[in-house]
């Protein structure tokens, strides 16, 4: 399945302002405080309760998407371990845990024009004062839903549903035509 | 663009939200015991207030949550937003029931 998806999805070509990010293991977690505590122990990162914030430890991250919804991101190689560890930790706790590893594609928009490029299609205030490092949220990029996560002053991790990737990157590339060479 | 204050995420652009119609409509506890008129009223009849209106909104392209808002339908101004299950802010002039 993973191999098939890799073959059929458009590759993200590296550019000065764009970097592809490696395939990842992703889980959509829904649940309350009890589920968050169980995941914190098994996953090693406590799902944040503050709205629109991401928490990381090592290569694993937990992103707040809603008051009872988090996205867990880990290296692809952790997939098999997590597939048994997370359900085991959550046994008996009301929750929903869905493997969405291959649903979305991640890439990074970076450099001094990162904010400017994203502002072309995203209605949020992306100034670092309004959208600080560590903030993450679902939002829109033109007509596509995206997940936006600022990982550094000049770096954003973008996750889009697989079939939207080409649309988002094409629009970013068109905007980038206006960048100084 | 309107800025709508999501009770979970804070102020966010209108593009991320979906309108959900009149707020505070309770589903009849026992639908099989309602008359056709009562059921019709529950399903279809809305107050269509000119003025301050309590309505449901969903932060569809954000946290995904439904919440309630008081909006003046003559000016399109949002006066307050509050979580589902909460009552409208005290002192508001909302007419939410038919
Ligand atoms: Zn929200």
């Amino acid at each position: 399945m993973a191999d098939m998806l890799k073959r059929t999805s458009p590759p993200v070509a590296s550019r000065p302002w764009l970097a592809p990010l490696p395939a990842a293991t992703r889980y959509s977690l829904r649940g309350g405080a009890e589920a968050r505590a169980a995941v914190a122990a098994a996953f090693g990162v406590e799902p944040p309760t503050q709205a629109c914030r991401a928490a990381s430890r090592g290569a694993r991250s937990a992103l707040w998407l809603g008051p009872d919804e988090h996205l867990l991101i880990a290296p692809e190689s952790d997939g098999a371990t997590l597939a048994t560890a997370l359900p085991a930790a959550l046994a008996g706790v009301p929750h929903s845990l869905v493997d969405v590893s291959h649903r979305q594609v991640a890439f990074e928009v970076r450099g001094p024009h990162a904010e400017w490029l994203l502002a072309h299609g995203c209605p949020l205030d992306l100034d670092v004062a309004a959208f600080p490092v560590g903030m993450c949220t679902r939002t829109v990029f033109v007509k596509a839903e995206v997940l936006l996560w600022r990982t550094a002053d000049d770096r954003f991790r973008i996750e889009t549903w697989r079939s939207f990737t080409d649309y988002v990157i094409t629009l970013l590339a068109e905007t980038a035509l206006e960048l100084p060479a | 663009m309107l800025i709508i204050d999501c009770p979970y995420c804070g102020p966010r652009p209108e593009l991320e939200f979906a309108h959900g119609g009149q707020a505070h409509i309770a589903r009849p506890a026992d639908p099989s015991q309602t008359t056709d008129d009562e059921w019709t009223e529950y399903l279809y009849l809305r107050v269509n207030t000119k003025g301050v209106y309590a309505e449901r909104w969903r932060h569809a392209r954000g946290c995904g949550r439904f919440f309630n808002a008081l909006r003046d339908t003559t000016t399109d101004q949002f006066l307050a937003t509050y979580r589902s299950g909460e009552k409208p802010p005290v002192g508001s002039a909302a007419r939410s029931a038919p």
Side-chain angles (χ1 to χ4, degrees), chain A residues 2-23:
Chain A
D3 289 345
M4 188 190 78
L5 288 169
K6 273 178 204 154
R7 281 202 305 277
T8 53
S9 55
V12 177
S14 194
R15 305 166 204 240
W17 48 269
L18 177 73
L21 292 176

Side-chain angles (χ1 to χ4, degrees), chain B residues 6 8-9 59 63:
Chain B
C6 170
Y8 301 98
C9 304
H59 194 187
C63 64

Side-chain angles (χ1 to χ4, degrees), chain A residues 6-7 9 19 24 35-36 43 50 55 57 60 63 73-74 88 92 101 106 117 120 137-138 159 165 170-171 181:
Chain A
K6 273 178 204 154
R7 281 202 305 277
S9 55
R36 285 195 298 273
F43 189 64
Q50 190 188 351
R57 181 189 288 177
R60 292 184 178 182
L63 283 66
I73 305 178
S101 299
L117 282 166
H120 165 69
T137 183
R138 262 191 300 243
E159 301 229 345
T165 314
T170 303
L171 284 168

Side-chain angles (χ1 to χ4, degrees), chain A residues 52 64-65 67, chain B residues 6-10 12 16-17 59 62-65 67:
Chain A
C52 302
W64 187 101
L65 294 186
Chain B
C6 170
Y8 301 98
C9 304
R12 304 280 291 233
E16 294 180 348
F17 293 85
H59 194 187
C63 64
R65 257 8 64 136
F67 60 93

Side-chain angles (χ1 to χ4, degrees), chain B residues 29-51:
Chain B
D30 190 354
S32 63
Q33 296 303 308
T34 58
T35 64
D36 285 354
D37 282 351
E38 286 165 348
W39 191 246
T40 300
E41 179 161 299
Y42 161 68
L43 280 187
Y44 301 115
L45 300 185
R46 301 295 180 259
V47 294
N48 197 24
T49 303
K50 183 178 181 183

Side-chain angles (χ1 to χ4, degrees), chain B residues 4 15 23 30 32 48-49 51 56 60 68 74 93:
Chain B
I4 301 175
L15 286 181
D30 190 354
S32 63
N48 197 24
T49 303
R56 302 170 79 220
N68 297 322
T74 57

